[in-house]
Amino acid sequence: QVQLVDSGGRLVQAGDSLRLSCAASGRTNSRYAVGWFRQAPGKEREFVAGISWTGSNTYYGDSVKGRFTISRDNAKNTVYLQMNSLKPEDTAVYYCAALSGLLPPQDPREYEYWGQGTQVTVSS
């Protein structure tokens, strides 16, 4: 029904900035909330950020508050994650996810659609 493609991950240095994109296709005329998650080897999948369908409500994990910003452009069917002041502990595969609804939950099990993941590596 909905396909997600996330992109933008690459190797950067500590303190640098990076913007990830999540492009949606298919049945995108419904109301969808979107979240970003990340997973490092041997660790649980972690909620990073979420945004409501309107874009007026945003949510962040404690480890990224003040550094990351999530936004969306519904006309382009795209959600962005702007990452500033990157740290080595931000290194992970980042995934975008979506579900029918107005607000983004923190539990990944509640999401219906997932991107393939994009690797972010922060060197020191």
Side-chain angles (χ1 to χ4, degrees), residues 18-35:
L18 193 62
R19 189 180 75 164
L20 305 182
S21 298
C22 176
S25 62
R27 189 179 179 89
T28 59
N29 58 350
S30 299
R31 294 185 290 184
Y32 291 101
V34 176

mmCIF file of all heavy atoms in Angstrom, residues 18-35:
data_model
loop_
_atom_site.group_PDB
_atom_site.id
_atom_site.type_symbol
_atom_site.label_atom_id
_atom_site.label_comp_id
_atom_site.label_asym_id
_atom_site.label_seq_id
_atom_site.Cartn_x
_atom_site.Cartn_y
_atom_site.Cartn_z
ATOM 1 N N LEU A 18 24.173 16.066 9.087
ATOM 2 C CA LEU A 18 23.711 15.184 8.029
ATOM 3 C C LEU A 18 22.192 15.238 7.977
ATOM 4 O O LEU A 18 21.533 15.353 9.022
ATOM 5 C CB LEU A 18 24.187 13.756 8.298
ATOM 6 C CG LEU A 18 24.084 12.711 7.194
ATOM 7 C CD1 LEU A 18 24.942 13.104 5.998
ATOM 8 C CD2 LEU A 18 24.511 11.357 7.730
ATOM 9 N N ARG A 19 21.637 15.154 6.779
ATOM 10 C CA ARG A 19 20.185 15.118 6.626
ATOM 11 C C ARG A 19 19.751 13.832 5.944
ATOM 12 O O ARG A 19 20.202 13.516 4.837
ATOM 13 C CB ARG A 19 19.668 16.311 5.818
ATOM 14 C CG ARG A 19 18.141 16.419 5.836
ATOM 15 C CD ARG A 19 17.616 17.589 5.038
ATOM 16 N NE ARG A 19 17.686 17.360 3.601
ATOM 17 C CZ ARG A 19 17.023 18.068 2.692
ATOM 18 N NH1 ARG A 19 16.251 19.081 3.084
ATOM 19 N NH2 ARG A 19 17.157 17.807 1.405
ATOM 20 N N LEU A 20 18.868 13.095 6.601
ATOM 21 C CA LEU A 20 18.285 11.894 6.039
ATOM 22 C C LEU A 20 16.918 12.210 5.443
ATOM 23 O O LEU A 20 16.204 13.090 5.926
ATOM 24 C CB LEU A 20 18.130 10.815 7.104
ATOM 25 C CG LEU A 20 19.391 10.429 7.889
ATOM 26 C CD1 LEU A 20 19.069 9.300 8.862
ATOM 27 C CD2 LEU A 20 20.521 10.044 6.954
ATOM 28 N N SER A 21 16.551 11.476 4.402
ATOM 29 C CA SER A 21 15.266 11.657 3.746
ATOM 30 C C SER A 21 14.500 10.349 3.723
ATOM 31 O O SER A 21 15.089 9.275 3.630
ATOM 32 C CB SER A 21 15.450 12.161 2.310
ATOM 33 O OG SER A 21 16.084 13.413 2.277
ATOM 34 N N CYS A 22 13.185 10.450 3.792
ATOM 35 C CA CYS A 22 12.292 9.301 3.703
ATOM 36 C C CYS A 22 11.204 9.641 2.696
ATOM 37 O O CYS A 22 10.328 10.464 2.984
ATOM 38 C CB CYS A 22 11.698 8.975 5.071
ATOM 39 S SG CYS A 22 10.493 7.633 5.076
ATOM 40 N N ALA A 23 11.270 9.036 1.524
ATOM 41 C CA ALA A 23 10.318 9.304 0.451
ATOM 42 C C ALA A 23 9.272 8.201 0.396
ATOM 43 O O ALA A 23 9.609 7.015 0.391
ATOM 44 C CB ALA A 23 11.043 9.415 -0.888
ATOM 45 N N ALA A 24 8.006 8.591 0.331
ATOM 46 C CA ALA A 24 6.898 7.652 0.307
ATOM 47 C C ALA A 24 6.249 7.624 -1.069
ATOM 48 O O ALA A 24 6.156 8.645 -1.761
ATOM 49 C CB ALA A 24 5.861 8.012 1.363
ATOM 50 N N SER A 25 5.783 6.450 -1.459
ATOM 51 C CA SER A 25 5.039 6.289 -2.696
ATOM 52 C C SER A 25 3.894 5.313 -2.461
ATOM 53 O O SER A 25 3.828 4.640 -1.440
ATOM 54 C CB SER A 25 5.940 5.803 -3.828
ATOM 55 O OG SER A 25 6.491 4.533 -3.523
ATOM 56 N N GLY A 26 2.979 5.239 -3.421
ATOM 57 C CA GLY A 26 1.815 4.399 -3.270
ATOM 58 C C GLY A 26 0.634 5.202 -2.756
ATOM 59 O O GLY A 26 0.433 6.346 -3.151
ATOM 60 N N ARG A 27 -0.114 4.617 -1.835
ATOM 61 C CA ARG A 27 -1.306 5.251 -1.294
ATOM 62 C C ARG A 27 -0.905 6.227 -0.187
ATOM 63 O O ARG A 27 -0.906 5.890 1.003
ATOM 64 C CB ARG A 27 -2.276 4.204 -0.766
ATOM 65 C CG ARG A 27 -3.637 4.756 -0.387
ATOM 66 C CD ARG A 27 -4.557 3.652 0.100
ATOM 67 N NE ARG A 27 -5.866 4.153 0.486
ATOM 68 C CZ ARG A 27 -6.895 4.288 -0.324
ATOM 69 N NH1 ARG A 27 -6.779 3.946 -1.612
ATOM 70 N NH2 ARG A 27 -8.044 4.762 0.117
ATOM 71 N N THR A 28 -0.578 7.445 -0.595
ATOM 72 C CA THR A 28 -0.079 8.452 0.335
ATOM 73 C C THR A 28 -1.082 9.566 0.615
ATOM 74 O O THR A 28 -0.728 10.570 1.237
ATOM 75 C CB THR A 28 1.223 9.068 -0.196
ATOM 76 O OG1 THR A 28 0.987 9.654 -1.471
ATOM 77 C CG2 THR A 28 2.306 8.006 -0.316
ATOM 78 N N ASN A 29 -2.329 9.399 0.169
ATOM 79 C CA ASN A 29 -3.337 10.427 0.397
ATOM 80 C C ASN A 29 -4.110 10.235 1.695
ATOM 81 O O ASN A 29 -5.064 10.969 1.959
ATOM 82 C CB ASN A 29 -4.299 10.508 -0.786
ATOM 83 C CG ASN A 29 -4.989 9.192 -1.071
ATOM 84 O OD1 ASN A 29 -4.639 8.151 -0.521
ATOM 85 N ND2 ASN A 29 -5.970 9.238 -1.957
ATOM 86 N N SER A 30 -3.724 9.270 2.500
ATOM 87 C CA SER A 30 -4.293 9.086 3.825
ATOM 88 C C SER A 30 -3.438 9.806 4.863
ATOM 89 O O SER A 30 -2.349 10.291 4.562
ATOM 90 C CB SER A 30 -4.402 7.599 4.169
ATOM 91 O OG SER A 30 -5.245 6.930 3.264
ATOM 92 N N ARG A 31 -3.924 9.858 6.085
ATOM 93 C CA ARG A 31 -3.194 10.518 7.160
ATOM 94 C C ARG A 31 -2.218 9.533 7.802
ATOM 95 O O ARG A 31 -2.636 8.509 8.346
ATOM 96 C CB ARG A 31 -4.162 11.083 8.189
ATOM 97 C CG ARG A 31 -5.015 12.216 7.629
ATOM 98 C CD ARG A 31 -5.890 12.849 8.679
ATOM 99 N NE ARG A 31 -6.956 11.956 9.116
ATOM 100 C CZ ARG A 31 -7.911 12.298 9.967
ATOM 101 N NH1 ARG A 31 -7.933 13.516 10.480
ATOM 102 N NH2 ARG A 31 -8.833 11.416 10.303
ATOM 103 N N TYR A 32 -0.920 9.847 7.725
ATOM 104 C CA TYR A 32 0.131 8.984 8.251
ATOM 105 C C TYR A 32 1.032 9.750 9.192
ATOM 106 O O TYR A 32 1.468 10.858 8.891
ATOM 107 C CB TYR A 32 0.967 8.396 7.115
ATOM 108 C CG TYR A 32 0.240 7.387 6.264
ATOM 109 C CD1 TYR A 32 -0.286 7.741 5.029
ATOM 110 C CD2 TYR A 32 0.092 6.077 6.700
ATOM 111 C CE1 TYR A 32 -0.957 6.813 4.252
ATOM 112 C CE2 TYR A 32 -0.576 5.145 5.930
ATOM 113 C CZ TYR A 32 -1.099 5.516 4.713
ATOM 114 O OH TYR A 32 -1.762 4.586 3.938
ATOM 115 N N ALA A 33 1.327 9.137 10.321
ATOM 116 C CA ALA A 33 2.383 9.611 11.194
ATOM 117 C C ALA A 33 3.669 8.866 10.852
ATOM 118 O O ALA A 33 3.630 7.724 10.390
ATOM 119 C CB ALA A 33 2.011 9.399 12.664
ATOM 120 N N VAL A 34 4.803 9.497 11.091
ATOM 121 C CA VAL A 34 6.090 8.935 10.696
ATOM 122 C C VAL A 34 7.065 9.001 11.853
ATOM 123 O O VAL A 34 7.108 9.989 12.595
ATOM 124 C CB VAL A 34 6.664 9.677 9.474
ATOM 125 C CG1 VAL A 34 8.055 9.160 9.133
ATOM 126 C CG2 VAL A 34 5.741 9.512 8.278
ATOM 127 N N GLY A 35 7.861 7.954 11.999
ATOM 128 C CA GLY A 35 8.914 7.929 12.992
ATOM 129 C C GLY A 35 10.237 7.517 12.380
ATOM 130 O O GLY A 35 10.282 6.852 11.341
#
